[in-house]
Amino acid sequence: MIKVKDVYEAVNRLAPFDTCVEGDSVGLLVGDMNDVITDAAVALDVTTATVRAAASAGCGLLLTHHPAYFGLLSDQPDSSPAYLAKRLGLNIISAHTNLDAADGGVNDCLAHLLSLTNVQKLSDGSDNVPMARIGDIKFSNAKQLAEYAKLKLGTGGVKYTGSDSPISRVAVCGGSGG
């Protein structure tokens, strides 16, 4: 018998919730740690569509990267996806900036996807958990890196600034990078 708290604890081992950026909404955002679940859905975002799809599939848990809300659940409108999940009995766990910063998390995956070598955590000099990663690249200029990033990320386009000046190291940070 798997409970919400079992999934919560597993995610917390991989990407500790206490390593999130201050003010981020992570962890169990909707539901009850003691609810028994048999199925779970995974999504990038908590939307009305993902909540309805998870509930329709008989899932007891929706695990997402982006949180259902920022702040308090009580500050959300009754029409929000979070309140819909609550009405449908769907638990929501979100791992956001804690997953970005985790070893093997979003930023490590981006660094790997872009073929960075000698990757290190990029600290901002404070006590904050390092989010970004920095590493060496095999491209000689920003245009080549942008074209490679577009291909590897499967996106229709990328924006970059730079010239034909040689570059040898880049930093990556998922999300806003703030």
Side-chain angles (χ1 to χ4, degrees):
M1 182 166 54
I2 296 176
K3 293 184 177 184
V4 170
K5 71 178 178 179
D6 298 320
V7 177
Y8 176 94
E9 289 168 359
V11 173
N12 192 47
R13 283 190 298 276
L14 295 171
F17 292 114
D18 65 358
T19 63
C20 73
V21 169
E22 185 177 340
D24 198 6
S25 293
V26 299
L28 179 64
L29 301 181
V30 176
D32 185 325
M33 288 284 198
N34 292 311
D35 280 358
V36 174
I37 58 171
T38 56
D39 292 292
V42 177
L44 179 62
D45 297 306
V46 179
T47 65
T48 299
T50 57
V51 168
R52 288 192 189 285
S56 293
C59 296
L61 173 67
L62 178 60
L63 179 61
T64 69
H65 180 53
H66 296 134
Y69 54 84
F70 290 97
L72 301 173
L73 178 59
S74 59
D75 292 339
Q76 305 310 304
D78 290 346
S79 59
S80 71
Y83 271 109
L84 175 61
K86 189 172 182 170
R87 285 192 299 276
L88 295 173
L90 182 67
N91 297 279
I92 298 175
I93 294 176
S94 297
H96 190 217
T97 54
N98 56 309
L99 184 60
D100 290 337
D103 289 338
V106 172
N107 290 315
D108 281 340
C109 289
L110 279 172
H112 176 75
L113 189 67
L114 295 176
S115 303
L116 300 187
T117 58
N118 302 316
V119 176
Q120 300 171 314
K121 294 178 181 180
L122 182 61
S123 174
D124 64 4
S126 70
D127 290 336
N128 296 332
V129 173
M131 296 284 290
R133 302 299 190 258
I134 189 167
D136 298 328
I137 61 165
K138 63 180 180 180
F139 303 100
S140 61
N141 60 48
K143 181 179 181 182
Q144 287 180 348
L145 175 60
E147 289 172 357
Y148 187 72
K150 178 182 171 182
L151 173 73
K152 296 303 278 185
L153 296 173
T155 184
V158 294
K159 292 182 181 182
Y160 71 95
T161 58
S163 64
D164 288 336
S165 299
I167 55 174
S168 60
R169 289 183 59 77
V170 287
V172 295
C173 188
S176 69

